[in-house]
Amino acid sequence: MNTALKSDACAASRLSVAPMMDWTDRHCRYLHRLLSRHALLYTEMVTAPALVRGGAVHLLDFSPREHPVALQLGGSDPEELAAAARLGQAAGYDEINLNCGCPSDRVQSGVFGAVLMRDPGRVADCVAAMREAVEVEVTVKCRIGVDDQNPEEVLPEFLSRVGAAGCGRFIIHARKAWLQGLSPKENRDIPPLDYDLVQRMRGMFSGLHLSVNGGIVSLDQAERFLEAGLDGVMVGRAAYHDPASMLAQADRRIFGAGEDADAVAVARAMLPYIEAHLAAGGKLGQVTRHMLGLFAGRPGARHWRRILSEGAHRPGAGPELVEQALEPVLQAA
Ligand SMILES: Cc1cc2nc3c(=O)[nH]c(=O)nc-3n(C[C@H](O)[C@H](O)[C@H](O)COP(=O)(O)O)c2cc1C
């Protein structure tokens, strides 16, 4: 069991990087960890059936350097989720999170994700079973409601019932999911954000730890939410597309500990990781695709992206491609 680097996920959740399928894999999280020592990092969603019935425990592999890191599970069967949470704890995760926010069709048909906003009793059963199964913290990521639900009623009811079952920390994506007629992508943009409601929940549920998620694009904005009393801020797309702006100053500004990371140094610090990945039979592009946004908005960024994205798939491409892609960035500076 990987306990050596266990850390306090709750403290780290002042700023977290959201679970994002196909994006926040272990390579992406390794990069993000080099940018911030303290921010909490989430895995992509892993379904409990895949782990428990499918035996896909390789999905849990991660580097000990990623701590603090939370495993997000998808599912709606209490026993299966408890078994999956146990596997997650044994693999060394610092937190187990239950997905009650994801609207995709595939996920709807398996009765998990945002559709669970309709069934707080079931979510409470799931959380109670997971709490019973593991010592690490069990958290829930949810929406403010789905479809024609009234968030003003549904969200407090959800927080109260699931909170009573033992979930002390929630991440609230501050918009509804519309389960009919919108794609998952549209469901991240079209339903309007209601930060005020999340803020009001902060006032109503003083015993719960509440993080806000959705549409947060800068550290300034994150700081304002924390100043306004929210316990944590979760950032998704902005952290992926422009990781340096979101994370390089986070240790100093959000956690009051540590120095700003330098994106060039971070790119170079990825080299030993890339070498090890290639030596283990991995492909260069699997790592470098997550690095494309590292210099977003900086001179030379376009060349950096182009050299990395075009070169990574050429036969024999190796870590030297990263140095090559850095040249235009260094020259422009
Ligand atoms: C590519 C992608 C994949 C996502 N996958 C998941 C997921 O697996 N689990 C989840 O709870 N949310 C998922 N989300 C939603 C994000 O976690 C987050 O709630 C959403 O993007 C809103 O935050 P943002 O505006 O900061 O991006 C995903 C989002 C994106 C863009």
Side-chain angles (χ1 to χ4, degrees):
M1 185 149 120
N2 184 3
T3 49
L5 287 166
K6 274 281 160 58
S7 33
D8 184 346
C10 184
S13 68
R14 252 175 96 70
L15 182 73
S16 58
V17 179
M20 290 180 281
M21 288 290 265
D22 293 330
W23 289 10
T24 53
D25 63 15
R26 53 182 302 182
H27 310 309
C28 175
R29 298 193 303 266
Y30 193 94
L31 172 73
H32 287 171
R33 178 57 67 224
L34 292 172
L35 286 159
S36 165
R37 286 288 313 122
H38 296 288
L40 179 60
L41 306 179
Y42 281 79
T43 66
E44 309 165 86
M45 179 184 70
V46 179
T47 71
L51 288 177
V52 176
R53 280 185 257 156
V57 283
H58 65 276
L59 296 175
L60 299 179
D61 291 347
F62 69 97
S63 159
R65 297 183 69 170
E66 290 172 35
H67 288 290
V69 59
L71 169 67
Q72 187 187 58
L73 292 176
S76 57
D77 178 79
E79 275 180 32
E80 200 163 51
L81 279 166
R86 243 180 251 115
L87 291 171
Q89 173 170 272
Y93 285 94
D94 301 298
E95 168 190 331
I96 310 290
N97 175 265
L98 179 63
N99 182 343
C100 297
C102 184
S104 89
D105 284 346
R106 189 168 57 85
V107 167
Q108 268 183 66
S109 60
V111 197
F112 34 84
V115 71
L116 287 171
M117 295 302 297
R118 291 196 178 283
D119 198 350
R122 179 177 278 267
V123 178
D125 291 346
C126 292
V127 162
M130 292 161 79
R131 279 280 319 253
E132 185 75 26
V134 296
E135 283 159 28
V136 294
E137 201 177 355
V138 173
T139 65
V140 168
K141 178 168 180 276
C142 64
R143 295 269 181 153
I144 60 173
V146 294
D147 299 330
D148 56 355
Q149 286 183 326
N150 177 3
E152 308 276 341
E153 289 167 10
V154 164
L155 187 59
E157 156 100 7
F158 185 88
L159 295 178
S160 145
R161 290 183 67 178
V162 180
C167 177
R169 175 148 60 89
F170 292 82
I171 304 101
I172 307 172
H173 185 176
R175 54 162 60 91
K176 275 185 172 183
W178 295 340
L179 299 176
Q180 303 299 327
L182 288 190
S183 69
K185 187 168 185 297
E186 289 168 330
N187 254 313
R188 295 193 279 268
D189 285 317
I190 293 178
L193 286 160
D194 189 350
Y195 295 135
D196 270 2
L197 178 63
V198 179
Q199 199 75 55
R200 270 180 279 133
M201 295 302 106
R202 171 61 297 148
M204 273 175 77
F205 293 95
S206 56
L208 296 179
H209 183 292
L210 301 182
S211 294
V212 62
N213 167 243
I216 296 157
V217 293
S218 69
L219 265 192
D220 288 347
Q221 205 185 347
E223 280 174 331
R224 284 197 294 273
F225 277 114
L226 295 170
E227 280 159 17
L230 266 307
D231 302 295
V233 176
M234 174 182 271
V235 185
R237 289 162 289 183
Y240 189 81
H241 293 307
D242 188 356
S245 297
M246 218 55 233
L247 295 173
Q249 300 179 356
D251 289 354
R252 174 175 56 85
R253 290 174 56 183
I254 304 289
F255 298 96
E259 291 176 5
D260 297 352
D262 170 62
V264 172
V266 165
R268 290 194 167 130
M270 286 300 286
L271 296 175
Y273 181 82
I274 290 172
E275 273 162 28
H277 179 64
L278 296 179
K283 299 204 170 87
L284 181 64
Q286 290 170 329
V287 182
T288 53
R289 75 187 186 99
H290 301 300
M291 299 168 66
L292 298 178
L294 193 51
F295 297 99
R298 279 177 55 170
R302 213 156 35 88
H303 294 295
W304 158 264
R305 285 185 77 93
R306 187 179 47 74
I307 295 170
L308 271 194
S309 51
E310 286 176 7
H313 303 287
R314 293 210 181 103
E320 67 287 344
L321 184 71
V322 173
E323 280 295 347
Q324 204 186 317
L326 273 176
E327 269 168 37
V329 176
L330 295 170
Q331 268 169 22

